[in-house]
Amino acid sequence: MAGGEELTLKILVDKAQNKVLFAEAGEEFVDILLSFLTLPLGTIVRLLSMPSDSSQLEFGSLSTLYQSVSALQTKHFWTKVGKDMLLNPRNSAAAQCQKLKIDIDDTARTKYFMCPDMLNDKHAGSPLLSTLEDVKCTCGSLMNTQMELVASDVRLQESTSGVFVTETASFIITDDLQIMPNLLGTTVALLSTHGKTDTKVLEERTLKVGVEEVLNLLRGSLLSKTPLTDLVRQGPFSCNIVKSDTGKYLPRITDSINTNCRRMAVKVLVQKSTKKALLAQVEEEFVDFLFSFLTIPLGSVVSLLGGECSLRSINNLYNSLRSLDAERHIKSQDLKDMLLEPMLAQKFLCKNQILPIREVEAPTLYCVFNGPHSYLIDKRKNSPFFTMLANDLTVTPFSSLSVISALDRLNIPLGDVEEREMSIGMEEVRNWHCHNAFVGTLLM
Ligand SMILES: [Zn+2]
């Protein structure tokens, strides 16, 4: 966990209600929000039920499932690492998430182990590399020589800031986690939706966001309608639990997906009077499938449910990502696809999987033999990292909040403001000596 890192978030608050109308943020904060979609469910349960977490919230059946795995003895699993894989599932986007300003996922990084006898002729053409320690090599030795993986992709090394969204992008985030490009029109529309035409009732504040706040946001994104307001009010977590808007039942997985998938028969004991399932008698393959829920990334769940799960703020987050522009707001289409449909980490696809989810392809790794200083390199061609966009032309980052305070200073009610499109030529550009001049031009 990146300890001590902090970032600041500008928020617009309704003073009377102490309620956040929206936040204005750049790439660092939005990257963190989007990374929630890559977290496997097991990781979410683990992070939010840590002893340090005073609320000790339970996430329904998922918490029960996690506790069941945790209580089972290792002998019930195929391998000794099986249990650990479920309790500490890997994030297939871990390489990206490690670059987040605040990375709450403390799952150990992927390690690589090679056969100590790596130059032995007996290996010709057979695998001698494993992500698990002490797996038997084809030559009979145990693979226990840990190898360092060196990223050979220059772009991967150079891209120092920005993970998913472009560095120049600025966003408006509503209290229920809708993310929108930061445009004056968006802000004005949002304020009028909230009926806030008088800027006097509003106040701009700065919020410090560290590890604890990000964990609270993750929790709020799952349980609250107002995760940002919860963050401001601090106090005990309000746990404004959202009931599924669609009522008692979760939406169905679309039929087209359904018909292509394997099925598993399960015997269930049902209470006749209430039609309630009491318990099910299942084969081990079903248990295998059930446990695999812990390894599925949150974004995959939303994707399987067609963008409509029972968590409102998560739906908002997911669907705003859908409408953000790849290239302009998200660094690339590859990254956008990766977030909209996060895959399982390598080796995490259980053979009894019913759901149409995939695991990431194993990267092709090359070993550079250099005695005790041997190392691995990753020569993946289609790395989702792109060179950064040049930011030379941006002098002052655009800020909707500063526009609002400008309106306030000028005593202009928001009801009096509308968004217009204007044609900008050389002449207009010449007038943009300062931010206020630009605002002045726009409002004319
Ligand atoms: Zn070997």
Side-chain angles (χ1 to χ4, degrees):
M1 220 177 274
E5 286 282 10
E6 248 182 15
L7 53 90
T8 52
L9 190 63
K10 274 200 262 177
I11 49 173
L12 193 69
V13 180
D14 179 323
K15 279 189 279 190
Q17 294 177 294
N18 199 21
K19 190 177 180 321
V20 175
L21 292 174
F22 59 80
E24 184 178 71
E27 89 274 1
E28 286 176 337
F29 184 73
V30 176
D31 277 340
I32 293 171
L33 281 184
L34 293 178
S35 77
F36 290 174
L37 297 172
T38 71
L39 293 176
L41 300 183
T43 304
I44 295 177
V45 174
R46 181 169 54 81
L47 288 174
L48 297 182
S49 54
M50 278 186 175
S52 60
D53 186 79
S54 51
S55 56
Q56 288 279 313
L57 283 172
E58 298 240 322
F59 293 92
S61 309
L62 272 181
S63 296
T64 320
L65 193 63
Y66 192 88
Q67 284 150 15
S68 313
V69 173
S70 165
L72 274 178
Q73 288 177 348
T74 314
K75 66 175 182 193
H76 295 294
F77 295 89
W78 295 109
T79 60
K80 69 170 183 173
V81 287
K83 182 174 172 176
D84 185 57
M85 284 170 83
L86 292 170
L87 296 178
N88 300 290
R90 290 232 164 86
N91 182 340
S92 63
Q96 282 89 348
C97 292
Q98 270 152 17
K99 301 199 305 172
L100 292 170
K101 176 101 182 220
I102 301 165
D103 180 17
I104 50 170
D105 187 359
D106 57 357
T107 312
R109 299 179 66 153
T110 306
K111 288 181 183 153
Y112 296 91
F113 298 94
M114 274 186 81
C115 174
D117 199 11
M118 50 187 95
L119 288 176
N120 191 319
D121 286 344
K122 278 191 275 182
H123 297 116
S126 52
L128 37 66
L129 178 71
S130 170
T131 49
L132 309 170
E133 195 172 3
D134 285 343
V135 171
K136 217 173 201 178
C137 177
T138 42
C139 74
S141 317
L142 294 179
M143 294 193 241
N144 54 14
T145 306
Q146 196 179 332
M147 302 292 294
E148 195 198 347
L149 175 64
V150 178
S152 61
D153 195 321
V154 181
R155 291 170 300 180
L156 201 140
Q157 292 168 335
E158 277 182 358
S159 180
T160 49
S161 70
V163 181
F164 304 118
V165 302
T166 49
E167 285 91 313
T168 50
S170 171
F171 299 89
I172 289 291
I173 301 142
T174 62
D175 200 9
D176 56 358
L177 303 189
Q178 294 179 54
I179 304 174
M180 291 165 266
N182 191 357
L183 305 167
L184 181 60
T186 314
T187 327
V188 173
L190 264 177
L191 289 173
S192 64
T193 323
H194 285 287
K196 307 289 174 208
T197 44
D198 180 9
T199 50
K200 296 276 181 285
V201 300
L202 308 173
E203 183 182 43
E204 185 187 324
R205 286 189 210 160
T206 306
L207 198 63
K208 285 217 183 313
V209 176
V211 173
E212 203 189 318
E213 286 76 17
V214 174
L215 282 170
N216 279 332
L217 257 179
L218 174 63
R219 182 182 302 106
S221 70
L222 300 167
L223 297 175
S224 171
K225 281 180 183 168
T226 56
L228 290 180
T229 295
D230 292 350
L231 217 55
V232 173
R233 290 183 184 162
Q234 286 174 344
F237 178 61
S238 65
C239 197
N240 185 2
I241 290 185
V242 190
K243 294 260 164 54
S244 166
D245 291 340
T246 47
K248 218 169 151 190
Y249 302 99
L250 288 174
R252 289 166 57 93
I253 291 179
T254 46
D255 286 337
S256 59
I257 297 177
N258 219 354
T259 45
N260 291 327
C261 291
R262 61 171 292 187
R263 311 187 69 81
M264 237 182 251
V266 175
K267 281 181 202 152
V268 186
L269 204 62
V270 181
Q271 186 179 9
K272 281 200 283 190
S273 56
T274 58
K275 290 187 178 158
K276 246 171 104 175
L278 299 175
L279 53 94
Q281 187 189 8
V282 296
E283 304 288 327
E284 59 194 22
E285 60 173 19
F286 187 78
V287 178
D288 200 24
F289 164 67
L290 209 56
F291 282 172
S292 79
F293 284 0
L294 297 174
T295 68
I296 302 180
L298 180 60
S300 292
V301 179
V302 190
S303 158
L304 285 169
L305 296 169
E308 290 294 327
C309 71
S310 56
L311 311 167
R312 196 164 88 180
S313 299
I314 290 294
N315 287 341
N316 287 340
L317 188 66
Y318 186 88
N319 290 310
S320 7
L321 167 65
R322 262 186 183 165
S323 41
L324 288 177
D325 187 54
E327 311 285 327
R328 233 171 97 205
H329 303 123
I330 305 292
K331 282 182 158 188
S332 71
Q333 188 63 46
D334 284 351
L335 276 174
K336 186 174 167 179
D337 294 344
M338 191 198 82
L339 287 168
L340 285 174
E341 218 172 305
M343 287 192 238
L344 299 172
Q346 190 196 330
K347 301 271 182 228
F348 274 75
L349 185 64
C350 95
K351 65 180 191 303
N352 296 310
Q353 188 53 262
I354 295 176
L355 302 169
I357 40 180
R358 294 173 296 155
E359 65 172 26
V360 288
E361 250 177 76
T364 309
L365 299 179
Y366 297 85
C367 183
V368 177
F369 291 107
N370 186 17
H373 306 294
S374 299
Y375 58 94
L376 298 170
I377 53 169
D378 176 357
K379 281 199 171 170
R380 244 177 304 192
K381 285 258 160 50
N382 297 319
S383 162
F385 295 95
F386 281 81
T387 36
M388 284 179 282
L389 287 171
N391 194 13
D392 304 340
L393 291 172
T394 315
V395 183
T396 319
F398 170 72
S399 158
S400 286
L401 292 180
S402 62
V403 174
I404 287 162
S405 60
L407 286 177
D408 192 30
R409 272 198 308 276
L410 295 168
N411 249 327
I412 302 171
L414 275 163
D416 207 16
V417 179
E418 67 168 359
E419 192 187 24
R420 261 188 234 158
E421 215 162 75
M422 60 182 285
S423 122
I424 305 288
M426 256 325 229
E427 198 55 39
E428 288 80 10
V429 175
R430 228 177 272 163
N431 290 328
W432 294 353
H433 291 306
C434 67
H435 197 59
N436 284 341
F438 173 61
V439 172
T441 323
L442 196 74
L443 294 179
M444 256 162 36

